[in-house]
Amino acid sequence: MREQKKQATREALRAAALRLALERGPDNVRVDDIAEAAGVSPRTYNNYFSSREQAIVAAVTSEREARVAAAVAARPGGVGLADAVVEAIVDQYTASDAPGQDALLLITTRPALRDAFIDTTTAIEHPLTEAIAERLGDGDPSIARVLAASVAAAVRVALEQWLQTAFSSSTASGLVVPSGSLPDFLRATLAPLRPALDAAEQRALRHRQR
Amino acid sequence: MREQKKQATREALRAAALRLALERGPDNVRVDDIAEAAGVSPRTYNNYFSSREQAIVAAVTSEREARVAAAVAARPGGVGLADAVVEAIVDQYTASDAPGQDALLLITTRPALRDAFIDTTTAIEHPLTEAIAERLGDGDPSIARVLAASVAAAVRVALEQWLQTAFSSSTASGLVVPSGSLPDFLRATLAPLRPALDAAEQRALRHRQR
DNA sequence: ACGCAAATTTGCGTGCGCGCAGATTTCTCT
DNA sequence: AGAGAAATCTGCGCGCACGCAAATTTGCGT
């Protein structure tokens, strides 16, 4: 129940940060305000989030890491590693778009939030490493780590491209986030890594036969 | 000569930061001290480096980015993309170990410096993207970007592993940095990406024939 | 050589991240 | 239930990153 309370305050901080950021605009939100709204000390805030932007972004991306890993693990073994990874990621990144449309717009606006959002891709690295290692069996564990890191990097590139087009198109037309094209970007940036994933999978198969 | 002066102060800041960090230990170095030693205002310091650790680390890794890209470009076209990239990186990361042995020891000691050192891998991404794009011809430019990002990620993993073993072995035996094994780590983490590099290269070849 | 424009430097103020140590809460064992 | 242990929360203080605008330097045209 200690853990419950921790997650509760964490969630409270997330919610407060997002709400205040949407109400007043992200620049008019002091970290003290968020802490007060969540009913904790300002110092405690920094025990949960190491930067002000993290809390706001976390409200959108919270626990996407675990979901991605679970989604990879959920795919049946016959699917092939590359397909499993790509589809799992596409699923998770398209699914979590719907809830916070306005929040995403807020994020794309402010560069600091944009960077924090992009940095969240590194968080999927560890869970994804374990999920890939699970599928590859216990070969060289550093292979899974490199593949996971590369996938995370590809996702980051996709987000960068997507946010860039979102920004430029929003100036041209109205304020529109082209969320429909995110899956396309993800598939495009993940495609070059497929040979590496396939090779690792076949290496694991050969290793397992012996 | 404006650019000359800028690079001069940048270099002065680097040198001052490293010298002071080695003399007193990195915790006893204020940013004001570095600025004063370089003969500039403290505020100017932050116009060049956005964190105190960056200056110290930059003294070791300065312009490794450009060197890696140049090394890739220097390999003859017949070598094959994967070999060109791997060997170029191994060369640059083994070559620049020699100058600052003591500095590296300092970096491995302090976690903050360790993190800053690892973060420098992202700096090679942009030059490497251009170098790879050059070799692939003008196909989809995002392919080169993903490959470069993946390579940078693999290098980061290698550095993490290397620093971890360096730390644990230094407690066991004396204060020894196992620099001899860095190339091995690099080759190991880059190996899983070879299929992706090969595939991209062949894709470019097919595209070029048409 | 002189003055104008652009770039760089500098001082100032603000908010923030975090180490530290004491107070407070929560868990565990008997 | 009660006492001790462990984890968490909180107040304090320090340095630092950075936006802003004025001052200084640098480059260029005439």
Side-chain angles (χ1 to χ4, degrees):
Chain A
M1 10 223 89
R2 206 167 209 163
E3 198 61 25
Q4 285 186 10
K5 196 165 190 176
K6 276 183 65 172
Q7 295 305 326
T9 51
R10 176 176 240 103
E11 177 58 31
L13 285 170
R14 268 203 289 258
L18 180 58
R19 183 176 58 82
L20 291 177
L22 286 174
E23 283 181 7
R24 324 178 181 172
D27 292 341
N28 301 328
V29 168
R30 308 270 145 271
V31 70
D32 298 23
D33 305 333
I34 302 176
E36 189 188 11
V40 295
S41 153
R43 184 61 183 83
T44 300
Y45 170 87
N46 275 318
N47 288 345
Y48 286 89
F49 299 98
S50 57
S51 90
R52 185 170 46 97
E53 292 81 11
Q54 270 191 18
I56 303 177
V57 170
V60 177
T61 68
S62 111
E63 299 174 4
R64 175 176 289 166
E65 321 88 46
R67 288 177 177 276
V68 168
V72 170
R75 315 269 156 176
V79 180
L81 180 61
D83 286 327
V85 168
V86 171
E87 294 309 317
I89 286 180
V90 170
D91 279 4
Q92 293 308 316
Y93 272 87
T94 53
S96 49
D97 283 347
Q101 292 279 16
D102 45 356
L104 267 184
L105 190 63
L106 187 77
I107 288 174
T108 57
T109 305
R110 307 284 165 172
L113 290 179
R114 210 191 66 112
D115 293 349
F117 178 65
I118 288 176
D119 281 349
T120 59
T121 55
T122 64
I124 72 176
E125 215 174 297
H126 270 102
L128 193 57
T129 297
E130 294 176 8
I132 292 178
E134 180 71 19
R135 285 202 163 234
L136 291 182
D138 297 317
D140 187 348
S142 75
I143 292 181
R145 208 168 149 195
V146 170
L147 292 177
S150 299
V151 167
V155 172
R156 174 174 55 78
V157 172
L159 288 181
E160 286 172 352
Q161 293 180 344
W162 179 59
L163 288 178
Q164 189 163 350
T165 65
F167 182 63
S168 56
S169 74
S170 70
T171 56
S173 60
L175 288 174
V176 180
V177 175
S179 59
S181 53
L182 214 199
D184 296 338
F185 279 116
L186 284 170
R187 290 184 207 275
T189 58
L190 287 171
L193 293 180
R194 283 178 166 275
L197 291 167
D198 292 340
E201 189 174 29
Q202 294 201 3
R203 205 190 93 103
L205 278 177
R206 282 198 306 275
H207 200 276
R208 183 169 288 219
Q209 279 181 344
R210 241 185 294 139
Chain B
M1 20 198 71
R2 203 164 214 164
E3 198 60 24
Q4 285 187 9
K5 196 165 191 178
K6 276 183 66 171
Q7 296 305 325
T9 54
R10 176 175 240 102
E11 178 59 30
L13 285 170
R14 270 204 288 259
L18 180 58
R19 183 175 57 82
L20 291 177
L22 287 174
E23 282 181 8
R24 323 178 181 174
D27 292 341
N28 301 328
V29 167
R30 309 269 144 270
V31 70
D32 298 23
D33 304 334
I34 302 176
E36 190 187 11
V40 295
S41 152
R43 183 62 183 83
T44 300
Y45 170 87
N46 275 317
N47 289 346
Y48 286 89
F49 298 99
S50 58
S51 90
R52 185 168 44 97
E53 292 80 11
Q54 271 191 19
I56 302 176
V57 170
V60 176
T61 68
S62 109
E63 300 174 5
R64 174 176 290 166
E65 321 88 47
R67 288 177 177 275
V68 169
V72 170
R75 315 268 156 176
V79 180
L81 180 61
D83 286 327
V85 169
V86 171
E87 294 309 316
I89 287 180
V90 169
D91 279 4
Q92 292 309 315
Y93 272 86
T94 53
S96 49
D97 284 346
Q101 291 279 16
D102 45 355
L104 266 184
L105 190 64
L106 186 79
I107 288 174
T108 59
T109 305
R110 306 284 168 174
L113 290 178
R114 210 191 67 111
D115 293 349
F117 178 64
I118 288 176
D119 281 350
T120 57
T121 54
T122 64
I124 71 176
E125 215 174 295
H126 270 100
L128 193 57
T129 296
E130 293 176 9
I132 292 178
E134 180 71 20
R135 284 203 164 232
L136 291 182
D138 297 317
D140 187 347
S142 75
I143 292 181
R145 207 168 149 195
V146 170
L147 292 177
S150 299
V151 167
V155 172
R156 174 173 55 80
V157 171
L159 288 181
E160 286 172 352
Q161 292 180 344
W162 178 61
L163 288 178
Q164 189 164 351
T165 65
F167 182 61
S168 57
S169 73
S170 69
T171 55
S173 60
L175 287 173
V176 179
V177 175
S179 59
S181 54
L182 214 199
D184 296 339
F185 278 116
L186 284 170
R187 290 184 208 274
T189 59
L190 287 172
L193 293 180
R194 284 178 165 273
L197 291 167
D198 292 339
E201 190 174 29
Q202 293 202 3
R203 204 190 94 102
L205 278 178
R206 282 199 306 273
H207 199 278
R208 183 169 290 220
Q209 279 180 344
R210 238 185 296 141

